[in-house]
Amino acid sequence: MAQHLGIDEAGRGPVLGPLVVCGCAMAEERIAELSALGVADSKTLAPAIRLRLAREIGRVADRIVLRILPPEDVDAATRRGGLNQAEAAAMIGIIREVGPALAYVDALTSRPERFGRALAAGLLPLTVRVIAENRADGKFPLVAAASIVAKVTRDAALEALREAHGEIGSGYPGDPRTVAFLRRCLAHGALPPFVRRSWRTLSRLAPELS
């Protein structure tokens, strides 16, 4: 049975915490099981439903592969010119590890076909058909499943940070609770290691850090 793979990420935009890239692999003949579970773009699902689905996906999938980029790696990638290259490298690593016949990928650019060709070229001499599309998590069950597991994994990381550090908000720059947390940290003269220092949020709050 030919194995297919879906890849998506969670946590590209936040100023706090890791970026998670996830691959979900299944035999082509069994992908309909994901649709039967009700998988969908993780952004459209309530947290409790995402958590339940992530457990079910883990039960039915042949493989779940994660690449977790900590804030320092995100910062390094951003300072080198952007996250796309680092995320593409993570995707290539997942594809190489799984070795599927076909990989569906949520494209990171407005030119998805070009992005897909670049991934395929990066896989050589391994030959894998790559289908890259924008909003792939709403089109392909395997990508939707990967988006759910990636989101649940990142949510768990944020919850662990809340337990250790108190209210940090969602981690997104537009969240007043997150901005308040960063202001408190700056007032005490120390930023914890899970803060992405390359984000403009920090340069606005503390220009001397940019």
Side-chain angles (χ1 to χ4, degrees), residues 122-171:
L123 289 164
L124 293 175
L126 183 67
T127 301
V128 177
R129 183 185 176 202
V130 177
I131 296 177
E133 292 196 16
N134 298 129
R135 296 179 292 279
D137 44 7
K139 301 173 183 177
F140 305 111
L142 276 172
V143 181
S147 79
I148 290 167
V149 176
K151 177 62 174 166
V152 167
T153 301
R154 179 177 152 81
D155 284 350
L158 264 289
E159 186 56 34
L161 293 175
R162 290 187 191 96
E163 291 177 2
H165 299 275
E167 181 57 73
I168 62 172
S170 65

Side-chain angles (χ1 to χ4, degrees), residues 3-10 19-25 63-69 86-105 119 122-123 126 128 130 142 146-147 149-150:
Q3 192 164 71
H4 289 188
L5 173 69
I7 301 179
D8 202 358
E9 55 82 19
L19 187 156
V20 179
V21 184
C22 177
C24 178
R63 294 191 69 180
I64 298 290
V65 181
L66 293 169
R67 292 288 189 275
I68 299 177
L69 282 64
E87 283 195 55
M91 291 177 176
I92 288 171
I94 290 172
I95 296 171
R96 284 189 178 280
E97 183 171 336
V98 174
L102 172 63
Y104 298 98
V105 176
L119 285 185
L123 289 164
L126 183 67
V128 177
V130 177
L142 276 172
S147 79
V149 176

Side-chain angles (χ1 to χ4, degrees), residues 150-206:
K151 177 62 174 166
V152 167
T153 301
R154 179 177 152 81
D155 284 350
L158 264 289
E159 186 56 34
L161 293 175
R162 290 187 191 96
E163 291 177 2
H165 299 275
E167 181 57 73
I168 62 172
S170 65
Y172 280 87
D175 187 338
R177 298 168 301 169
T178 297
V179 173
F181 169 75
L182 293 172
R183 289 187 187 279
R184 291 195 300 272
C185 291
L186 291 167
H188 287 88
L191 288 171
F194 58 87
V195 176
R196 300 180 186 178
R197 287 158 170 77
S198 61
W199 254 230
R200 291 176 183 172
T201 310
L202 266 295
S203 63
R204 288 195 297 266
L205 294 174

Side-chain angles (χ1 to χ4, degrees), residues 40-58:
D41 176 0
S42 63
K43 296 184 291 296
T44 68
L45 302 171
I49 295 175
R50 285 199 300 262
L51 184 58
R52 174 182 61 79
L53 285 173
R55 291 170 179 155
E56 292 296 314
I57 291 164

